[in-house]
Amino acid sequence: MGPENISEVALAFDAAAADYDSDFGANPIGRWMRERVWETCLEVFKAGDIVLDLGAGTGIDALFLARHDVSVHAVDVSAKMIERLSGKLAGDDDTLRVTYGVLGMESLGQLSESRYDGALSNFGALNCLQDLSTVAQSLSSVLKPGASFVACTMGKFCLIETLVFLRRGKMRQAFRRTGLGARAAEVADQTIRVYYHSPGKLVSFFSPFFDLEGVYALGVCLPPSWSPGLVARKKAIFATLKTIDRRVGALPLFRTMGDHFVVQLRRKRRL
């Protein structure tokens, strides 16, 4: 991420910070996807671990892990997002073991004196970077050998989203994630550049320093996360779709077809 893109991402998420929790928290699809990531986190992070949360936002994931006796250092390029996290800790969550700082993923080298038991990057923070190789190298330098890294990011192809847009006759939007280079995305009425990586491409960035442990898709069978109206009204349908999505998203053919995908990596013991 170049300096210009760092600035535009920081400004956009600064603008989104005040309403981020209420906007995302009201989305049942987004909530379920986050809970699926949490399930994976609780499988790999144990009580007493110290975990690095990259692109932590307002600290939703950091606070969840802290409530399960995992210590977290949360970083985000947006000062306003970190300010919201700080406010939460100053209130009801002041006893939780969460530290924080304003830091972009391209600057992880500043944490070189630390060694973490694991790391998490949830809901598309990695989509703000085109070349993840530097992040992979820097992250490996601050993780202990054998440490787990759980990454949830937006995929390059979302089957349901494509079908929805095609049905509406919106060809350009149907294939908005495909192709090379940056794509425009709106955050709090501001435009930022995002980069959609396939699971294979993301893993290739990290493979010199990490081994692949697993990958699954989120949102293969659900409406797009930006269109939760149906499942909000039809809870029985939503329950069925969640069950199907959990099973289908783990199948090799469908791992590349979700709204998001989750990759579990393990830092190599020898580099």
Side-chain angles (χ1 to χ4, degrees):
M1 190 191 308
E4 183 179 348
N5 201 40
I6 295 171
S7 177
E8 71 182 28
V9 169
L11 289 173
F13 282 96
D14 279 351
D19 298 320
Y20 181 83
D21 287 357
S22 59
D23 288 348
F24 200 83
N27 185 325
I29 297 173
R31 286 201 308 269
W32 180 74
M33 288 183 178
R34 190 179 292 277
E35 288 167 2
R36 288 280 285 121
V37 177
W38 285 350
E39 289 177 18
T40 299
C41 288
L42 293 181
E43 291 173 1
V44 299
F45 304 141
K46 307 303 180 185
D49 281 352
I50 304 175
V51 170
L52 180 62
D53 186 358
L54 306 174
T58 63
I60 296 173
D61 301 311
L63 295 175
F64 170 82
L65 289 174
R67 293 187 185 106
H68 287 80
D69 298 320
V70 176
S71 297
V72 182
H73 183 57
V75 298
D76 198 283
V77 72
S78 165
K80 292 294 184 181
M81 287 286 190
I82 292 299
E83 184 178 296
R84 296 283 292 178
L85 169 56
S86 175
K88 294 177 182 179
L89 291 170
D92 295 336
D93 297 312
D94 61 347
T95 61
L96 297 178
R97 294 175 293 179
V98 178
T99 57
Y100 50 85
V102 178
L103 188 73
M105 283 185 280
E106 71 290 337
S107 302
L108 290 179
Q110 296 181 25
L111 304 175
S112 59
E113 295 184 2
S114 302
R115 288 295 182 272
Y116 297 94
D117 299 298
L120 165 69
S121 182
N122 204 359
F123 282 107
L126 293 175
N127 289 105
C128 295
L129 300 103
Q130 181 176 19
D131 185 354
L132 295 169
S133 55
T134 300
V135 173
Q137 182 175 12
S138 297
L139 180 60
S140 71
S141 71
V142 301
L143 292 182
K144 296 176 181 178
S148 291
F149 175 41
V150 177
C152 175
T153 185
M154 295 179 287
K156 197 172 183 64
F157 174 71
C158 176
L159 176 63
I160 294 297
E161 179 182 86
T162 300
L163 294 175
V164 168
F165 279 132
L166 286 175
R167 186 175 182 274
R168 296 176 181 178
K170 297 182 177 181
M171 293 292 294
R172 186 171 181 178
Q173 287 100 320
F175 300 100
R176 67 188 181 93
R177 302 189 188 205
T178 60
L180 301 175
R183 293 292 183 267
E186 297 295 321
V187 176
D189 298 323
Q190 299 189 43
T191 301
I192 65 170
R193 286 166 287 177
V194 297
Y195 304 88
Y196 296 103
H197 305 294
S198 67
K201 183 63 175 178
L202 186 143
V203 170
S204 72
F205 285 122
F206 287 86
S207 60
F209 312 99
F210 292 82
D211 294 321
L212 177 63
E213 296 277 298
V215 57
Y216 60 87
L218 296 172
V220 178
C221 305
L222 294 169
S225 55
W226 45 262
S227 181
L230 174 64
V231 297
R233 297 189 303 269
K234 305 291 185 178
K235 294 183 179 181
I237 293 176
F238 188 26
T240 300
L241 290 176
K242 287 189 292 186
T243 300
I244 297 173
D245 199 86
R246 180 185 291 270
R247 295 174 180 172
V248 170
L251 299 176
L253 179 63
F254 294 99
R255 291 172 185 169
T256 62
M257 297 185 183
D259 185 39
H260 288 67
F261 63 87
V262 179
V263 170
Q264 182 185 338
L265 303 168
R266 188 173 298 278
R267 198 266 201 190
K268 291 183 177 181
R269 296 190 179 276
R270 291 186 178 182
L271 298 177

